[in-house]
Amino acid sequence: MNTKNVTDPDQVALIKKNFNSITAENDMKPVSIQPREGEFHWENADRIANFCRQNGIKLRGHCLCWHNQFSDWMYTDKKGKDVSKEVFYERLRNQIHTVVNRYKDVVYAWDVVNEAMTDGPSRLRDGSEPNPYRQSRLYKLCGDEFIAKAFQFAREADPNALLFYNDYNAADPAKRDRIYDMVKKMKDAGVPIDGIGMQGHYNIYGPSMEDVDAAITKYSTIVKNIHFTELDIRTTSEMGGQLQFSRGEQKEVPQYIKTLQEAQYSNLFRVLRKHRDVIKNVTFWNLSDRDSWLGTYNYALPFDVNYKPKNVYYLIKNFKPELDNAVAKEDFQPSVSNQPGQQYPMVNSQGYARFRVFAPDAKSVIVSLGLGGRGGTVLQKTKDGFWEGTTEGAMDEGFHYYHLTIDGGMFNDPGAKNYYGSTRWESGIEIPAHDCDFYADKAVAHGEVSQILFPSKSTGVNRRAFVYLPPSYDGKKKFPVLYLQHGWGEDETAWSNQGHANLIMDNLIAEGKCEPFIIVMTYGMTNKARFGSIQKFDYKEFETVLVDELVPYIDTHFKTKADKANRAMAGLSMGGMETHNITLARPEIFGYYGLLSGGTYAPSEIKCNALPKLIFMSCGSRENPDRVNQAAEELRKAGFNAVSYVSENTAHEFLTWRRSLREMAPLLFKK
Ligand code: XIL
């Protein structure tokens, strides 16, 4: 916190609502308190301490001895000559005693020594080990003894405060070992170190959670308190507490970067919860992106530049405890919708999906599939250039579209088959459903799905449709027809590829559950609608294609019962909206209406000359199911034959619509 944070009423309210411990960002550092010998500046530090006293918020003291922002006068005498270390210690003791005593009543933990260890790998290029200590002026004057002295002075001044050694890159294995060795050596020699502060100036690419976990595990063998003292997660690849860094650019943060940051924060807090016996504090370094020492455009914090919580704030707060301990069963099998010979993606018996992608030079790989609230599953780089990851929990049963985002670019998973959705051929994965039998390819008589091209005067081209002919279609007997529409982003291939409409029909017919009928599936021209303006979509063009061009074509080229009593229209999602509008606009054409996650009819909308034989409305249980149930109830009260159906534990996805077709088909064209 800075003094503005604790003064501005809005920020004060935000602090009081969200935090029970704060740290002064700069105002308790030696350079702020005593920039010149004997010249003390207490005003800012007092303001922050008083804020804590008044509001019952705890204060972490930061920091007593650091090579930066230090009282550099301590090193030299009046003539500018270096002092002896005895003189230096006397000055340091005086400084530490004065500050610690002043805030004893409110500070419960002090960062006593900050950043005394060196960065970099455990071995230098020539194979030798680097000096583990930072080659600072402190070290050059005193060796590592200044560490022991600083802790000793702090303990003298306050026997009760928790005393911390604080550093950045403390999860890096080489630096971790240096920190560990130093703290262990000090503690063994009786130096009063109570805890280790892991600053946590991280970024969206690292450190790995394995390294964080390993560091906490190692530190917790020598200290009982570990504080995350300065947490922020940059959207660049820089890391650490160095005071030189890039300030980022003012530009919209791409979604994939937000996803990486959300995953890094969520995964970190998951590790912290695992170690809740030692992790006693998490402090964010600054209140919001506006205050961030990294500048606004590193977007490093859970509160944005306007002090509004980002999605990451909610992910940190509203974690699902049951997922913390969830362990995926290791019975993964290649997904049934994989490309030939491909092992990945895999699915386990609980419905977890596991992905593995080769992208040796990529910086990030995200799978768009994951549990709610997250932008997907962030994969981790493994050896040999592969990226791997498993969904955080079990997915809903059924079919899911997905894609990969590699360094911000969108790609399909080379392991999975593609299905037309989101106006492109997307990867698809099948989480086996407990009731998958009804759309399985079984040893029953099969109908056929054939492609037709029908002329369309109104659009000036031949248009494509797929026609399902039931097994008993022999070119002589006449059949009723269902016109079945896909949703936004999809096309005429959807109902047979990802919907398995033909298999569902074959199975229903084989079991004698449903009258055989023809299904016609054509492109509903929905993809001209841009997302967000779908309500304004003009269905008239498609009405002409369907009713004035396709229906007559089907009735002349196939053996159909060509009347309203033998014609149905149904559609999913945006195809339901088309169905709704076209059936109402052309009441003489269709006798059965079906909206699958595609809205509802109200009694008042249906003209008295229409009188459909059936209105079927359905959706998934995760899609506001009350709406279809209530609409059906109202229609029934008004005298219509209306049926609603809710697919359990599914959302706006194809298992909902497969099941809906299974429920609707037996109700159509009943003799
Ligand atoms: C930073 C402050 O946030 C900046 O305002 C100041 O200019 C430099 O120091 N590690 C630490 C903190 O321990 O004290 C540093 O704070 C960030 C790195």
Side-chain angles (χ1 to χ4, degrees), residues 64-333:
L64 299 174
C65 184
W66 185 25
H67 63 281
N68 274 318
Q69 295 180 289
F70 192 58
S71 297
D72 286 348
W73 56 265
M74 286 193 204
Y75 299 121
T76 49
D77 65 17
K78 292 229 163 59
K79 293 189 189 116
K81 271 186 57 193
D82 285 0
V83 296
S84 68
K85 66 179 184 180
E86 287 70 31
V87 172
F88 174 78
Y89 288 147
E90 201 38 50
R91 292 169 167 186
L92 185 64
R93 164 186 270 136
N94 196 5
Q95 160 87 10
I96 289 178
H97 277 205
T98 312
V99 182
V100 172
N101 271 313
R102 189 175 183 94
Y103 300 117
K104 237 181 187 168
D105 63 313
V106 59
V107 170
Y108 71 106
W110 272 105
D111 291 329
V112 177
V113 174
N114 204 26
E115 302 177 357
M117 307 313 290
T118 205
D119 292 314
S122 49
R123 299 230 170 243
L124 299 175
R125 263 208 218 134
D126 63 7
S128 65
E129 276 184 39
N131 187 318
Y133 294 98
R134 178 185 294 277
Q135 297 304 295
S136 65
R137 212 166 164 185
L138 289 160
Y139 184 79
K140 285 183 183 143
L141 181 65
C142 316
D144 66 4
E145 192 189 45
F146 80 89
I147 301 175
K149 291 284 182 194
F151 277 95
Q152 181 198 318
F153 301 152
R155 177 55 80 233
E156 286 164 9
D158 188 348
N160 298 319
L162 293 169
L163 305 182
F164 281 77
Y165 173 74
N166 190 44
D167 212 331
Y168 64 86
N169 289 2
D172 171 76
K175 196 163 175 187
R176 171 198 73 201
D177 290 349
R178 283 178 207 129
I179 294 171
Y180 172 90
D181 291 345
M182 180 276 287
V183 173
K184 174 130 193 355
K185 173 182 162 190
M186 294 284 162
K187 284 187 68 98
D188 288 349
V191 176
I193 302 181
D194 299 309
I196 293 176
M198 298 176 71
Q199 291 187 7
H201 293 297
Y202 294 158
N203 70 45
I204 54 177
Y205 306 105
S208 74
M209 289 307 125
E210 287 71 34
D211 282 354
V212 175
D213 188 34
I216 297 173
T217 303
K218 185 155 190 176
Y219 294 146
S220 62
T221 62
I222 45 168
V223 291
K224 289 200 183 70
N225 298 279
I226 298 173
H227 287 186
F228 263 67
T229 53
E230 306 180 19
L231 182 58
D232 50 23
I233 297 182
R234 283 172 240 213
T235 51
T236 63
S237 50
E238 290 176 341
M239 189 183 297
Q242 300 90 334
L243 301 188
Q244 299 260 322
F245 48 82
S246 67
R247 302 203 144 238
E249 286 170 57
Q250 175 171 13
K251 57 169 195 235
E252 186 66 19
V253 188
Q255 182 51 53
Y256 85 99
I257 296 285
K258 290 184 187 164
T259 300
L260 293 173
Q261 193 190 44
E262 287 166 9
Q264 188 75 334
Y265 265 119
S266 301
N267 293 338
L268 174 63
F269 273 86
R270 189 175 168 162
V271 174
L272 300 184
R273 289 193 294 274
K274 175 180 164 193
H275 291 285
R276 58 184 163 279
D277 54 329
V278 278
I279 301 291
K280 306 278 173 61
N281 173 298
V282 180
T283 297
F284 291 88
W285 205 243
N286 305 117
L287 182 53
S288 80
D289 286 345
R290 184 176 298 262
D291 310 293
S292 172
W293 71 299
L294 302 168
T296 304
Y297 305 122
N298 275 303
Y299 303 100
L301 292 162
F303 289 103
D304 71 13
V305 60
N306 298 313
Y307 297 90
K308 293 278 169 297
K310 300 175 186 173
N311 196 31
V312 79
Y313 168 88
Y314 298 104
L315 289 171
I316 292 169
K317 277 188 75 172
N318 307 335
F319 66 94
K320 298 204 175 66
E322 66 273 18
L323 290 180
D324 279 0
N325 306 316
V327 190
K329 258 197 207 149
E330 286 303 322
D331 57 359
F332 286 88
Q333 297 284 335

Side-chain angles (χ1 to χ4, degrees), residues 580-581 583-584 593 595 598-608 610 612 615 617 627-628 630-640 642:
H580 175 265
N581 290 335
T583 51
L584 293 178
Y593 308 168
L595 309 183
T600 55
Y601 289 92
S604 60
E605 292 177 311
I606 304 167
K607 297 196 192 89
C608 52
I615 296 175
M617 294 169 296
R627 271 188 44 202
V628 293
Q630 274 162 21
E633 184 65 42
E634 275 162 38
L635 285 163
R636 282 195 293 270
K637 273 194 209 140
F640 293 96

